[in-house]
Amino acid sequence: MPTQLAQVAPMADSPWGGLLAVYFALIGVPSGLTLAVWWHRRRFPTAALTLDWRAGWACLGMLAAAGALLTIDLGRPERFTLMLTEFGNWDSPISLGAKIIALKVFLLGVSLYMLARRRAVSGGAATPLPARGATRRLERTVTWLLGASSIALAVYPVAVLARTWVSPLAGTGGSALLFLVTSLLMGCAVVELIAAGGTEPRGEQEARRRHMMLVLLMTFGAVMAFTAVSVPLGPARESLDAVLRGDWALLFYGGVLGIGLTVPVLALLLGQRRRAARLLSAVAVLIGSCLARFLVFMA
C-alpha cells in the first residue's frame, strides 16, 4: 500500500516549464483575433480591408511562434512533427491542438491568398470588389472553418490541463469559459492596436469596438466570479485560496483585477473617444488576460 500511494502522489515540481505557461497564455491571442476580425467584418462589411490583411499576417506570425514554443518545450522537433502526422492519437489534447494549429495556418494562408487576389483585381482599392459565385462560397467556408478552429484553440488548453493534476483550476466549471472570454478580449485588444495604425474611417467603428470591449470586460468579471464560487473542495479550492489569499494574490489583484479589468473599464468610460485611452485599455487588457490564463496554469 505505501508503494501504491507513492506512485500516485503529486510530484514536488510541475513537469511543465515556463515556456508552456507562456504558450497557454498567448495562444489565445490569434484565436481571439480571428473572431474579433470576423465580428468587425460582419458589422462593417464595406469598411477598408486593411484590418483583415494585417490581422491575418499577425495571426500567422503568432501561430508560428506558438509552434516554436511547443517544439522547444518538447525538446525534439521530430516529436512535434509526429503530433502533426500521426492520426491514431485523437484522444491526446496536445496532439489535437497541434493539428488545429496546422489547420488554422493553412486556412489563414488560403484566406490571405484570396484577399490578395481581390485586392489585385480591384487595382489596390481600399475596399475590393466582393467575391461572387464559387469564390464567394469558398470564402464563406474558409471563414466558418477559421471561426471553428479559433474557438477550439481558445479552449483546448483547458482540456489539456484538466487531464493532469498540475493545474486543478483547469478542471472547474468556468475555466473553459474563462479561457474563451480572455481570448476574445485579447483579440479585440489587438484589433484596436491594429486599427490605431490604419487609415480606415473612425466614428461609429470606434464606438462599436469600445462598446464590445466593455461588454467583454463585464463578462470577464462575471466569469471570474462564477468560476470562484463554483470551485469544489479539494486541490482546486486550495489553488483558488492561493490565488485569493496566498502566493498569487498580488498578481491576481494587481495584475488581473487592477490592470486587466479596472484600468481598461475606467479608460473606456472616462476617455470616451480619446485614442490614448483606447490604446491604454488595449494594452491593459492584453496584460490582464494573459495573467488570468497564466494563473489558471500555475496556481
Side-chain angles (χ1 to χ4, degrees), residues 1-36:
M1 181 65 70
T3 301
Q4 294 176 347
L5 289 176
Q7 292 175 348
V8 299
M11 297 168 59
D13 298 314
S14 169
W16 292 342
L19 282 180
L20 208 55
V22 173
Y23 166 78
F24 281 139
L26 295 181
I27 191 62
V29 179
S31 306
L33 180 55
T34 298
L35 295 172

Side-chain angles (χ1 to χ4, degrees), residues 258-294:
I259 297 176
L261 188 60
T262 305
V263 169
V265 167
L266 291 178
L268 292 173
L269 289 178
L270 301 179
Q272 295 293 327
R273 297 182 179 181
R274 295 179 181 176
R275 178 185 178 187
R278 294 195 306 275
L279 294 179
L280 173 63
S281 66
V283 174
V285 162
L286 284 172
I287 294 173
S289 298
C290 285
L291 289 178
R293 296 166 73 96
F294 176 80

Side-chain angles (χ1 to χ4, degrees), residues 223-232 237 240 244:
V223 169
M224 284 193 292
F226 167 76
T227 303
V229 300
S230 64
V231 170
R237 175 63 64 176
L240 179 63
L244 298 179

Side-chain angles (χ1 to χ4, degrees), residues 84-220:
L84 292 176
T85 57
E86 177 60 46
F87 291 91
N89 53 352
W90 293 106
D91 58 337
S92 170
I94 295 180
S95 176
L96 183 59
K99 292 178 175 62
I100 296 175
I101 290 176
L103 173 63
K104 183 167 181 178
V105 168
F106 171 76
L107 293 172
L108 282 171
V110 174
S111 178
L112 287 170
Y113 172 76
M114 291 189 297
L115 181 57
R117 288 286 302 271
R118 288 174 58 191
R119 291 163 63 97
V121 171
S122 302
T127 306
L129 297 174
R132 297 180 179 179
T135 303
R136 183 179 181 182
R137 290 192 292 270
L138 177 60
E139 284 190 354
R140 288 183 174 179
T141 301
V142 170
T143 298
W144 282 104
L145 288 176
L146 274 173
S149 61
S150 297
I151 294 174
L153 275 182
V155 301
Y156 102 91
V158 174
V160 176
L161 296 174
R163 298 183 61 168
T164 71
W165 56 264
V166 177
S167 305
L169 286 177
T172 58
S175 57
L177 186 57
L178 180 65
F179 266 54
L180 178 59
V181 172
T182 52
S183 182
L184 292 173
L185 274 171
M186 290 188 288
C188 288
V190 175
V191 164
E192 193 63 56
L193 295 175
I194 294 175
T199 58
E200 63 181 16
R202 300 181 179 181
E204 184 183 358
Q205 295 184 40
E206 291 180 348
R208 288 291 185 92
R209 291 198 302 267
R210 172 175 167 271
H211 293 158
M212 175 55 67
M213 183 71 80
L214 285 171
V215 169
L216 287 174
L217 286 168
M218 295 299 100
T219 305
F220 180 39

